Every structure is written in structure tokens, then in C-alpha cells.
Amino acid sequence: MLVKVVPHNPQWKTEFELESQQIAKILAENIIFIHHIGSTAIPNIYAKPIIDLLIEVKDINLIADKTSAMVGLGYEAMGEFGLSGRRYFRKEDPPGIRTHHVHIYQTNSPEIDRHLAFRDYMIAHPQEAKQYSQLK
């Protein structure tokens, strides 16, 4: 199903926080930090209404043991899904519309810095974020 971009929704931050709390219960002491990334984390731009969570963990190898609990939250486990060193989960609502992406990386992965640098740059440069939004 094609997901269209929509105007920024302040509720996305709350949705991120609520989902973070649920995942934190599962991944517990392995978590270093849960970051809100992607377009829903950038104020005032259009975005697909899919909440992206980047989870930085101490040991990526422990994630396999938590897969069934993530599935219990409604996620589909996708493994690395084309990106070495990542564990990827995606979630849809009952009608089958994607609602969340979870990208898990072990601490010190350069992918963490890449995602955060993009998000932070767009937040710090609203004019460029607006141009990016128009491309969507």
C-alpha cells in the first residue's frame, strides 16, 4: 500500500515516546539510547506518517533473543534487511498500513552517526528541510 506524505503532526513525538517505552521494556538493559529519526522527527516538514526509531544497543547479538517479544508488540522481524550490522523490525496497523520502523545498531556503528547527523542537520537548517520536504 502506498503511503502518502502528510503535513507534520505534533502527535508523532508522543507516538515515538509511547512506542519507545514499550520497546524499552523488551530490550531492557541492552539499550543505550532510543532516538527518533526520519522525517517524523523533523518539525514542519511533510512526511510519511511512519515513526522511525533508531535503537543503540550494547550487544546486537542479543536482539535475536528478543524477536518473539517484538513480534508480540506487532512487529515483523526483517533481520538485517540489506544493511549489514542492523536489525530491522516493521509494524503495521490492523488495516495493513505501516506505522513504525525500528532500526537497531550496536553502539559505535557509523550508521547511528549518519542517521543522527541527517536529522540534526535538517532541524538546524529549516530552509533546507523545507526544500527536502518539497522533494517528497
Side-chain angles (χ1 to χ4, degrees), residues 92-107:
E92 297 178 348
D93 64 11
I97 297 171
R98 185 82 38 86
T99 60
H100 297 82
H101 295 153
V102 173
H103 312 265
I104 303 174
Y105 290 98
Q106 185 158 316
T107 191

Side-chain angles (χ1 to χ4, degrees), residues 44-100:
N44 304 315
I45 71 167
Y46 278 68
K48 292 179 182 176
I50 301 170
I51 308 300
D52 282 283
L53 299 95
L54 185 151
I55 303 177
E56 186 176 351
V57 296
K58 296 173 189 171
D59 187 350
I60 196 77
N61 297 310
L62 298 178
I63 299 305
D65 295 338
K66 303 299 184 178
T67 298
S68 62
M70 290 292 287
V71 169
L73 279 183
Y75 283 93
E76 178 182 11
M78 304 299 294
E80 288 186 329
F81 203 63
L83 296 176
S84 182
R86 172 179 76 162
R87 300 302 179 270
Y88 174 63
F89 295 84
R90 62 188 184 191
K91 185 177 192 178
E92 297 178 348
D93 64 11
I97 297 171
R98 185 82 38 86
T99 60
H100 297 82

